Amino acid sequence: MKVLRTPGEMHDLREWFRDQPETVGLVPTMGYLHEGHNSLLKAAREENGFVVMSLFVNPTQFKAGEDLSTYPRDEERDLVIAESSGVDFIYAPAPDDIYPSGFATKVEVEGLTEVLCGSETSRGPGHFAGVTTIVAKLLNAVDPDVAYFGQKDAQQATVIRRMAEDLEFRTRIVILPTVRERDGLAMSSRNAYLSPESRERATAIWSSLLETESVFAEQGLDAALDAGRRHLELAGITPEYFEARYPGTLDPADGNGTDPVLVAVAANVDGTRLIDNILIEPSSTHRRTK
Ligand code: AMP
């Protein structure tokens, strides 16, 4: 496994890739790897001749007051994990090389980035502008055939798909299912912040989504959202949002049709901001009762 530290080294590798017959898979990460990342690396390994993992805590997607300075980092450990997962190349540039003085460009997706995590009461649309700008840069620098992202960040997945289509990136965007701890908590680098008590409390996030799914089948979407929110509140968690949206457009969902509904939640658990979501297929029983 080779570690590339500068955009220049990455561009040289990109040119070399262009002469190879094998496909290139890219897995963008901010490091502090867990099984969620590993599932993306595994898919990339199975489906491509070369696997590139980027390792970059992107400062522009954090707003003032968020956890940029304390975001968990352990590059040494990440390199060991990446190598054992079959990564061929790590792209780990320094922030100053990605955003050198004079850097002035933003890639921004409208609409989709103004709801859920993008609303002003949440991380704000600037968060996604940071995400799409870095992902556009990575897609240009690596020029992969396929790039892998997780459903855990459902809105990010929708926004990145939109950007890749709008800007005509040739890269195929693949979204893989959320990997969970045994008790259902979605794996996240930020879980490292949780005390044992908070870790226990955080399990209510996934169980509130399961509760929503089961009530939806019997009583419809409004009752289901109420039940999910109540479940969280009983665990002492006040969600930042707990909403139902259609996954492709992120328009508010009424759940009356046959389209799958994305129920997404963000919640601050004792100082740690966590997100999760569930895709619910409206059941035929429910449709018959409408
Ligand atoms: P991050 O390092 O948190 O920026 O995540 C890098 C990639 O891994 C993103 O595409 C995430 O959506 C994905 N990811 C993070 N956590 C999980 C998880 N629990 N299951 C699946 N994918 C995940």
Side-chain angles (χ1 to χ4, degrees):
M1 189 177 76
K2 195 162 179 246
V3 181
L4 305 139
R5 295 283 176 191
T6 64
E9 285 174 79
M10 189 62 241
H11 299 161
D12 289 346
L13 179 64
R14 173 185 66 195
E15 298 316 306
W16 183 80
F17 282 153
R18 283 184 179 154
D19 294 332
Q20 312 305 313
E22 293 93 343
T23 61
V24 176
L26 170 68
V27 180
T29 82
M30 300 208 300
Y32 215 71
L33 301 183
H34 50 67
E35 285 304 316
H37 298 111
N38 252 335
S39 72
L40 308 186
L41 295 175
K42 191 162 172 260
R45 180 67 286 163
E46 280 168 11
E47 295 166 10
N48 298 278
F50 297 109
V51 176
V52 180
M53 184 187 99
S54 61
L55 179 51
F56 182 65
V57 180
N58 177 37
T60 62
Q61 70 190 68
F62 291 78
K63 77 177 175 192
E66 288 187 350
D67 57 346
L68 173 61
S69 62
T70 55
Y71 193 83
R73 295 165 213 240
D74 189 342
E75 187 186 284
E76 211 176 307
R77 176 176 163 272
D78 287 343
L79 295 187
V80 172
I81 295 173
E83 180 147 39
S84 70
S85 299
V87 171
D88 300 301
F89 300 97
I90 297 280
Y91 179 37
D96 286 350
D97 287 332
I98 291 294
Y99 303 112
S101 114
F103 186 92
T105 301
K106 236 187 234 176
V107 176
E108 218 159 352
V109 173
E110 291 179 352
L112 297 175
T113 59
E114 287 151 33
V115 299
L116 302 174
C117 287
S119 75
E120 293 298 346
T121 53
S122 182
R123 303 189 78 178
H127 164 65
F128 287 109
V131 169
T132 42
T133 302
I134 189 62
V135 172
K137 280 178 68 86
L138 291 170
L139 294 181
N140 273 326
V142 181
D143 190 24
D145 295 276
V146 197
Y148 297 85
F149 298 88
Q151 173 66 17
K152 148 95 172 5
D153 299 274
Q155 184 176 16
Q156 171 175 283
T158 301
V159 168
I160 287 171
R161 272 196 198 288
R162 183 77 259 158
M163 177 200 70
E165 191 174 328
D166 289 353
L167 297 185
E168 301 171 40
F169 280 104
R170 73 173 192 95
T171 304
R172 187 161 58 89
I173 305 297
V174 170
I175 311 300
L176 293 173
T178 303
V179 177
R180 301 181 178 283
E181 301 283 358
R182 289 166 73 98
D183 60 10
L185 180 67
M187 294 212 179
S188 163
S189 306
R190 289 191 171 93
N191 292 350
Y193 296 143
L194 297 167
S195 69
E197 296 74 28
S198 309
R199 168 69 187 74
E200 178 66 33
R201 192 199 302 277
T203 60
I205 294 177
W206 176 236
S207 49
S208 73
L209 292 170
L210 290 177
E211 170 81 0
T212 303
E213 181 182 50
S214 78
V215 174
F216 182 49
E218 301 299 322
Q219 299 173 39
L221 189 55
D222 287 345
L225 291 172
D226 283 347
R229 291 179 185 125
R230 238 186 355 261
H231 185 97
L232 269 188
E233 268 151 34
L234 280 173
I237 298 173
T238 307
E240 190 181 287
Y241 61 75
F242 194 106
E243 291 181 27
R245 305 234 161 210
Y246 292 113
T249 58
L250 301 184
D251 288 339
D254 59 18
N256 289 334
T258 53
D259 294 338
V261 171
L262 176 77
V263 177
V265 55
N268 187 307
V269 180
D270 308 323
T272 299
R273 186 176 183 281
L274 301 175
I275 59 171
D276 202 353
N277 65 83
I278 192 168
L279 253 184
I280 304 177
E281 300 283 343
S283 75
S284 47
T285 7
H286 170 53
R287 281 205 309 281
R288 277 202 298 276
T289 62
K290 294 299 293 182

